[in-house]
Amino acid sequence: MNQADISKLVSKLKINIKPRHRNLKNPEGPEGRLDKLRKTVTGLIKHERIELNYNRADEARGYTERLISEAIRYGDRHKPTMEMANYWLEEKQLIHKLFKVLVPRFENYTVSYTRMFKAPSSYPNACLPRAVLELRGNPFPPLNNNWSNNKNLLHNVLLDAARRDFRKEQYEKLSQSLTDEQNAKQNPTS
């Protein structure tokens, strides 16, 4: 049977998205919710790193991933993709950035196009969790430094000391067993 490959019909996103949207409260109703998400997606494409509430960041991440994946898949000659980009990007010069800068950057990516980190909350008004949402490959310094190879961190110093003590014990056991064998060969007791 000739059946269509379903993976070719619908592009697969590289992040998990919940089937139901988050219930982001807005006094203007659903239109206000979409306006906030459009502003968030526009800000993310423009600045490539933004800090905002965790719920809105998580919701906007899915729309940004979908926008970039459709732009990569169909390009700027596809009318529905251009309409989608026109809807989600409020500043129209960012459509050019999407197709001329971001699509070539993300063409060969096998991972998601965005990253989201939990941000520390300010203590007095710590009511909503904060997040940092960023596009991969942005020109800013990385948010998560890899400190695991730093030999001066406390846990690395302790592990090194434990490793030295363990090897010292092993060498002492080995040398003791070798001296016992040599003594047994030199002084055979029969």
Side-chain angles (χ1 to χ4, degrees):
M1 285 193 189
N2 292 337
Q3 292 185 356
D5 186 10
I6 194 76
S7 66
K8 303 283 187 203
L9 298 177
V10 178
S11 63
K12 181 175 179 353
L13 295 180
K14 295 171 176 96
I15 62 168
N16 291 332
I17 296 179
K18 297 186 191 289
R20 173 132 170 74
H21 62 78
R22 287 183 182 265
N23 196 8
L24 300 174
K25 303 281 190 236
N26 198 300
E28 287 101 37
E31 294 84 13
R33 173 187 169 275
L34 284 175
D35 283 343
K36 267 192 173 180
L37 288 171
R38 287 174 60 199
K39 287 177 184 173
T40 303
V41 171
T42 301
L44 180 60
I45 297 293
K46 182 178 183 179
H47 302 293
E48 298 193 18
R49 180 185 285 172
I50 55 175
E51 181 179 342
L52 61 161
N53 293 339
Y54 185 85
N55 291 340
R56 188 159 26 125
D58 191 32
E59 185 79 10
R61 183 181 188 194
Y63 291 112
T64 306
E65 288 278 338
R66 183 60 181 234
L67 178 64
I68 293 172
S69 69
E70 293 292 318
I72 290 171
R73 184 171 184 195
Y74 296 114
D76 57 353
R77 305 251 186 251
H78 191 246
K79 188 176 180 194
T81 304
M82 287 300 291
E83 289 173 356
M84 183 181 192
N86 190 32
Y87 176 77
W88 282 105
L89 300 176
E90 292 180 334
E91 297 177 22
K92 300 312 171 201
Q93 68 269 20
L94 293 178
I95 295 174
H96 298 290
K97 180 179 181 179
L98 174 68
F99 288 104
K100 303 295 183 207
V101 176
L102 299 179
V103 167
R105 181 195 303 173
F106 294 131
E107 271 180 334
N108 301 321
Y109 270 47
T110 57
V111 294
S112 66
Y113 312 121
T114 59
R115 258 189 297 206
M116 191 165 69
F117 300 103
K118 288 187 176 180
S121 59
S122 58
Y123 177 70
N125 353 344
C127 57
L128 291 173
R130 305 286 291 168
V132 175
L133 183 62
E134 69 176 6
L135 294 175
R136 289 183 188 265
N138 62 30
F140 304 114
L143 289 175
N144 59 342
N145 294 329
N146 185 7
W147 295 101
S148 61
N149 296 332
N150 188 346
K151 66 178 185 172
N152 295 326
L153 290 177
L154 179 62
H155 61 275
N156 288 336
V157 170
L158 293 174
L159 284 172
D160 286 342
R163 199 175 294 122
R164 272 192 305 254
D165 292 344
F166 178 75
R167 286 183 182 150
K168 185 178 177 183
E169 289 174 10
Q170 294 297 319
Y171 288 141
E172 287 175 357
K173 287 181 186 176
L174 183 64
S175 66
Q176 185 65 35
S177 66
L178 288 175
T179 54
D180 290 345
E181 285 179 17
Q182 287 178 352
N183 290 339
K185 285 182 183 177
Q186 290 176 358
N187 300 330
T189 56
S190 32

